[in-house]
Amino acid sequence: MKSMDMLEWMNDLDAKYLTEAAPPESRIRHRRTRRTAPALIAAAAAVLCLTVGAGAYVRRNTDLLDQWFGAGGEASVTEAALPEPVVYENEHVRLTVETELDDGVKHIVLLSCERLDGTPFDDFWHNGTHTAFVNEAGELRGTSGGGAFAFGYPDSEDPMHLPKYLAAYEYTADLEAGADHLEFQQFGFAAEQGQENLLEGIRIPLHAGKNTALADFETVDGVHLQLSCFELLYEGAEPDDPFVPAVLIFKDGSRKTLEPKCTDSHPIRDENGNETADCRISYTEFDYVDVSTVTAVEFGGVLYHRIG
């Protein structure tokens, strides 16, 4: 199977299965996302959790962090004191939560997985599994559904070269509304076809709370932009170019062009709950940014100065 956009994949599903996976208020729009994929993998049986705190040293997955944050990702994550790796095992797979990121708007969990014999786990595409943010009772919360995207594709058109990693995300406000675990569920069609959920039973407790800075920027006309170490947030009319150029300007006058690989948009609603013409767009997966040193952002040819 060749790489495909998550939206195209989900469009091929029977609508009733999408309804099973996400509550009615869930309306995230995945637009023109690069290197996206349907969620992760699966499993059954008892789950073993290994943590650094429990005395088991888990070395960081440097390849994953370099894929997400650029060269030197491990050093950036360590210096930022982000959560340490945690490993979960069942009778099929070994899944590693490399770290969690929360800038007060979006909560992201970076995941890798392998079979117990150490070989890569390559079932990202095939078993109808999706990430689900749930409460203690296993009930879906917020905009769960298929909220995840794969990344780390090898440079090859060979359909057997599948994505290596998964970033599962949820909006922080929805987590605060009751979601405290991440688990892996199947769309109804996969269960009906007898496909095995190889990640069944793995439930990942979430580190609640903001753990990285989110800086605010504004134009002379009062239009806002926000930037964290992993996310650029824009609110307004959707640009014609889904990957609008963004240039960071630092205290020393140097400049750096952001190169995000993934984007998703979320409609902005009015006071009556109706969708407006504007949306919130999140650009993610670019080289690590120390936002404390950024004084301005040039986005789509418009200059945003730092405020606050």
Side-chain angles (χ1 to χ4, degrees):
M1 179 181 293
K2 294 183 178 179
S3 301
M4 66 178 70
D5 187 277
M6 178 188 283
L7 182 58
E8 294 174 359
W9 181 83
M10 294 182 76
N11 282 342
D12 290 334
L13 300 180
D14 190 306
K16 73 175 183 177
Y17 299 129
L18 298 180
T19 302
E20 292 173 7
E25 65 272 23
S26 175
R27 296 292 300 279
I28 289 182
R29 297 170 179 166
H30 299 270
R31 295 175 185 259
R32 296 182 292 274
T33 304
R34 293 180 183 173
R35 301 197 312 178
T36 13
L40 195 55
I41 23 209
V47 174
L48 171 66
C49 172
L50 304 177
T51 70
V52 174
Y57 175 71
V58 182
R59 74 176 179 85
R60 288 202 179 277
N61 185 329
T62 56
D63 186 47
L64 181 155
L65 295 176
D66 288 349
Q67 287 279 348
W68 183 266
F69 281 131
E74 178 182 17
S76 298
V77 168
T78 300
E79 185 175 349
L82 293 170
E84 295 285 340
V86 182
V87 176
Y88 297 83
E89 290 183 2
N90 60 21
E91 64 180 14
H92 298 292
V93 297
R94 181 179 300 111
L95 182 144
T96 301
V97 177
E98 183 54 38
T99 195
E100 292 182 60
L101 303 159
D102 192 318
D103 59 11
V105 175
K106 184 177 286 186
H107 191 102
I108 287 184
V109 184
L110 298 182
L111 303 163
S112 63
C113 195
E114 63 182 9
R115 299 183 184 276
L116 297 184
D117 63 5
T119 59
F121 189 85
D122 56 4
D123 287 344
F124 285 88
W125 302 90
H126 303 304
N127 65 358
T129 307
H130 65 94
T131 55
F133 287 85
V134 300
N135 62 14
E136 279 291 345
E139 300 168 329
L140 284 175
R141 283 292 178 264
T143 55
S144 300
F149 50 89
F151 65 100
Y153 289 83
D155 295 326
S156 172
E157 294 301 319
D158 185 340
M160 294 305 294
H161 285 257
L162 300 176
K164 297 179 180 180
Y165 309 118
L166 190 81
Y169 70 88
E170 179 59 288
Y171 289 92
T172 302
D174 294 320
L175 295 181
E176 293 171 348
D180 53 18
H181 281 75
L182 174 68
E183 64 179 40
F184 305 87
Q185 300 179 356
Q186 279 184 316
F187 292 115
F189 73 91
E192 290 174 6
Q193 294 173 359
Q195 298 183 42
E196 188 175 14
N197 182 353
L198 299 181
L199 280 178
E200 185 177 358
I202 293 180
R203 298 190 78 207
I204 300 168
L206 300 171
H207 292 82
K210 183 176 177 179
N211 61 19
T212 189
L214 183 67
D216 293 293
F217 300 83
E218 188 176 82
T219 68
V220 293
D221 298 324
V223 181
H224 284 82
L225 194 73
Q226 293 179 298
L227 176 72
S228 71
C229 71
F230 69 89
E231 178 177 36
L232 178 71
L233 284 164
Y234 161 79
E235 290 190 0
E238 186 169 8
D240 293 332
D241 180 358
F243 290 89
V244 178
V247 178
L248 306 185
I249 303 171
F250 297 90
K251 290 178 181 179
D252 62 3
S254 61
R255 300 164 70 92
K256 176 182 179 179
T257 301
L258 279 186
E259 296 181 356
K261 303 177 184 69
C262 299
T263 181
D264 68 81
S265 65
H266 194 76
I268 296 176
R269 298 177 182 274
D270 60 23
E271 62 276 9
N272 299 316
N274 299 315
E275 293 184 11
T276 68
D278 291 336
C279 58
R280 168 180 279 174
I281 305 178
S282 168
Y283 300 86
T284 52
E285 197 191 342
F286 45 73
D287 287 359
Y288 184 90
V289 176
D290 180 358
V291 297
S292 68
T293 63
V294 181
T295 59
V297 178
E298 189 178 283
F299 180 72
V302 178
L303 190 63
Y304 294 73
H305 291 281
R306 187 160 186 159
I307 59 175

